[in-house]
Amino acid sequence: LTDGNPDQSGSYDFKGMFSPKFGISHVFTENISVYSNISHGFSPPSTAETLLPDGLINTNIKPETGWNFEVGTRSSFINNRLQLNLALYKLDVRNLLVARRTGNDQFIGVNAGKTQHNGLEFVLKYQWLQHETISLNHYISYTLNDFKFKDFIDDGNNFSGNKLTGVPSNLLNTGI
């Protein structure tokens, strides 16, 4: 420590990560197909998430990792004027990065143990009019999010079983 500046020398790195993806799809008809996939992913913490309020690097923080399991369908009807997309998924995440408030306008990144993200996504589109110069389309989309902390104890507080903060349970959008 010199002149109030912390010693930031040294090195810090993460282990290598293997992230496979397996998928399969089947076309039942020209207009109806189904798919499924299993994939692994990871996200290393950003520089801001690794820094402590005193400017030192938090060497305890880990990258987020997760497995995603998904099934869905893509379909079209009425000469492709009506399109339907539906997906069901389950995402199991370890070490989800969340912010912990340490002071006024001060946050640090912490790993949130295990989380489970179950969801459904649905999109329906309809083309009312198709002309050389104009088209009129309508869509409606719905998302169901059931995201929960499975195993998260932070600073003596047990958040296991609670919903993830900042994620709405239901989203509905429509437009023309």
Side-chain angles (χ1 to χ4, degrees):
L1 184 66
T2 59
D3 298 331
N5 293 321
D7 180 7
Q8 294 181 346
S9 63
S11 67
Y12 181 66
D13 58 12
F14 301 110
K15 294 178 183 177
M17 200 77 58
F18 177 66
S19 289
K21 180 177 181 177
F22 305 98
I24 188 167
S25 63
H26 181 73
V27 177
F28 285 101
T29 69
E30 183 179 319
N31 299 328
I32 299 174
S33 65
V34 295
Y35 66 91
S36 65
N37 67 63
I38 299 172
S39 58
H40 181 268
F42 67 95
S43 178
S46 68
T47 303
E49 290 169 322
T50 61
L51 293 178
L52 297 171
D54 60 5
L56 295 175
I57 294 174
N58 178 1
T59 57
N60 293 323
I61 201 156
K62 300 174 186 160
E64 296 174 326
T65 60
W67 282 96
N68 183 58
F69 306 89
E70 183 175 349
V71 296
T73 182
R74 293 184 184 99
S75 305
S76 63
F77 308 96
I78 313 171
N79 295 323
N80 290 329
R81 291 176 59 193
L82 178 65
Q83 296 179 354
L84 166 78
N85 293 336
L86 176 66
L88 298 166
Y89 63 90
K90 176 181 178 181
L91 173 62
D92 290 320
V93 178
R94 290 178 183 242
N95 298 314
L96 180 74
L97 291 164
V98 296
R100 180 198 299 152
R101 180 185 290 268
T102 59
N104 193 19
D105 290 331
Q106 288 185 334
F107 298 89
I108 62 168
V110 295
N111 292 115
K114 296 178 186 175
T115 60
Q116 187 170 340
H117 308 234
N118 296 324
L120 173 140
E121 296 175 344
F122 171 81
V123 178
L124 189 64
K125 298 178 186 176
Y126 187 75
Q127 184 178 62
W128 292 95
L129 176 66
Q130 176 62 45
H131 192 267
E132 293 176 9
T133 58
I134 189 169
S135 66
L136 180 63
N137 301 288
H138 177 248
Y139 75 90
I140 186 167
S141 67
Y142 173 73
T143 303
L144 171 68
N145 297 314
D146 182 23
F147 297 0
K148 292 185 179 174
F149 292 107
K150 282 180 69 175
D151 181 20
F152 180 35
I153 298 173
D154 182 44
D155 206 23
N157 297 312
N158 188 349
F159 298 101
S160 303
N162 290 356
K163 290 185 175 188
L164 262 66
T165 56
V167 180
S169 296
N170 296 280
L171 292 171
L172 180 66
N173 291 297
T174 187
I176 293 179

